[in-house]
């Protein structure tokens, strides 16, 4: 039997992975799916049961309950890597961040440990873990995100945590943006286009030197342009 991870791009010698993306129906998740496919990997989209299934994902969809271990195990079986890009949507339900950003994320982390997926990339946010922040008005979302980060850090997985600034939907002039990469708790403001964040997530999936690192990212046209691997090698583990 052959697996996708056994084949290599003839020009770049880059392994081809089967990458699961949770939160694939969200704006950021859709950009990650596009980037995964653009680089020649196989995208496996995890869609929560209560969300509508977008037609453009129908060929790679897997409907899951993030609170049903059997459902998650079944959805992730055969994947090499998991990118967790899901998050609670702003609403009047103040328990949503606990259920989605913490419990839902932890359920996926535990599933990876059970079924043998070693590589996990988790997308959270700048200021994750801060108590005094306006975003915490929404169900202490930054605290819930930090709780899930800690579970991942304590796991036996090869993990990378990406903390982006404010996400924007800019599509043009992205090549003029330089990315500011930093270690944990060093950036408190700034923004980054979702499309650039998607590239960073797939860069992390392809780059072993990003294992065990929390990477905060923002971008701007005034920032120096530097490659992901070069920047990450300089960050603390």
């Amino acid at each position: 039997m052959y697996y996708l991870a056994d084949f290599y791009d003839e020009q770049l010698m880059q392994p081809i992975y089967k990458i699961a993306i949770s939160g694939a129906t969200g704006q950021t998740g859709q950009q990650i799916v596009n980037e995964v496919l653009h680089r020649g990997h196989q995208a496996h989209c995890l869609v929560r049961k209560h969300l509508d299934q977008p037609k453009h994902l129908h060929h790679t969809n897997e409907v899951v309950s993030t609170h049903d271990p059997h459902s998650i195990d079944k959805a992730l079986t055969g994947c090499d890597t998991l990118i967790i890009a899901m998050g609670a949507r702003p609403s009047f339900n103040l328990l949503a961040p606990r259920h989605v950003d913490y419990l839902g994320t932890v359920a996926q982390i535990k599933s990876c440990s059970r079924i043998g997926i070693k590589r996990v990339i988790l997308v959270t946010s700048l200021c994750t873990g801060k108590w005094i922040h306006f975003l915490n008005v929404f169900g202490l979302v930054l605290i819930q995100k930090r709780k899930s980060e800690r579970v991942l850090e304590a796991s036996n997985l090869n993990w990378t945590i990406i903390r982006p600034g404010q996400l924007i939907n800019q599509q043009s002039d992205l090549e003029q943006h330089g990315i500011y990469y930093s270690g944990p708790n060093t950036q408190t403001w700034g923004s980054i286009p979702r499309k650039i964040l998607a590239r960073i997530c797939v860069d992390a999936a392809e780059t072993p030197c990003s294992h065990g690192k929390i990477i905060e990212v923002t971008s701007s046209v005034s920032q120096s342009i530097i490659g992901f691997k070069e920047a990450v090698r300089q960050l603390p583990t």
Side-chain angles (χ1 to χ4, degrees):
M1 182 179 292
Y2 294 92
Y3 295 90
L4 285 174
D6 295 330
F7 294 88
Y8 291 79
D9 183 284
E10 293 181 357
Q11 295 180 339
L12 301 179
M13 295 301 291
Q14 172 63 50
I16 297 175
Y17 300 115
K18 184 176 183 180
I19 300 176
I21 304 100
S22 65
T25 57
Q27 295 183 73
T28 300
Q30 290 178 42
Q31 293 292 342
I32 294 172
V33 172
N34 292 340
E35 185 66 21
V36 166
L37 295 173
H38 175 71
R39 298 204 196 180
H41 301 299
Q42 182 178 354
H44 189 63
C45 306
L46 275 58
V47 179
R48 282 178 280 163
K49 280 187 174 181
H50 67 281
L51 296 177
D52 292 332
Q53 298 178 51
K55 294 180 179 178
H56 68 282
L57 294 181
H58 73 279
H59 61 292
T60 55
N61 259 14
E62 180 89 33
V63 180
V64 300
S65 168
T66 52
H67 300 294
D68 177 0
H70 175 74
S71 175
I72 303 172
D73 289 357
K74 178 177 176 293
L76 292 178
T77 296
C79 294
D80 304 297
T81 301
L82 171 63
I83 299 176
I84 304 174
M86 72 177 198
R89 298 176 179 179
S91 71
F92 292 109
N93 180 7
L94 298 184
L95 293 178
R98 171 174 168 77
H99 288 302
V100 178
D101 296 84
Y102 175 52
L103 295 177
T105 297
V106 169
Q108 293 173 73
I109 293 169
K110 290 182 176 179
S111 177
C112 289
S113 294
R114 280 194 302 271
I115 67 175
I117 293 178
K118 291 297 184 182
R119 187 74 178 106
V120 177
I121 293 93
L122 172 62
V123 179
T124 56
S125 172
L126 287 191
C127 299
T128 287
K130 288 186 177 292
W131 282 92
I132 302 175
H133 196 282
F134 73 93
L135 287 177
N136 281 328
V137 172
F138 176 45
L140 294 176
V141 63
L142 296 177
I143 303 304
Q144 303 300 338
K145 287 180 182 294
R146 180 60 187 141
K147 287 166 63 179
S148 65
E149 285 185 352
R150 287 196 180 103
V151 172
L152 182 58
E153 290 176 74
S155 72
N156 61 345
L157 304 171
N158 292 327
W159 56 267
T160 302
I161 295 169
I162 308 293
R163 293 179 177 175
Q166 179 186 3
L167 299 175
I168 58 177
N169 293 320
Q170 180 179 342
Q171 297 289 324
S172 60
D173 302 321
L174 298 184
E175 302 310 320
Q176 299 177 26
H177 276 240
I179 302 167
Y180 177 27
Y181 298 94
S182 68
N185 308 317
T186 54
Q187 300 189 56
T188 57
W189 64 278
S191 64
I192 188 167
R194 296 177 193 274
K195 195 165 187 176
I196 291 180
L197 174 60
R199 294 174 186 172
I200 292 170
C201 288
V202 183
D203 283 341
E206 296 176 344
T207 308
C209 68
S210 67
H211 291 184
K213 295 190 176 183
I214 297 177
I215 307 170
E216 298 188 343
V217 291
T218 56
S219 72
S220 71
V221 295
S222 61
Q223 182 68 35
S224 299
I225 295 176
I226 184 172
F228 178 85
K229 186 179 295 186
E230 180 183 356
V232 167
R233 280 177 175 161
Q234 302 173 25
L235 299 180
T237 300

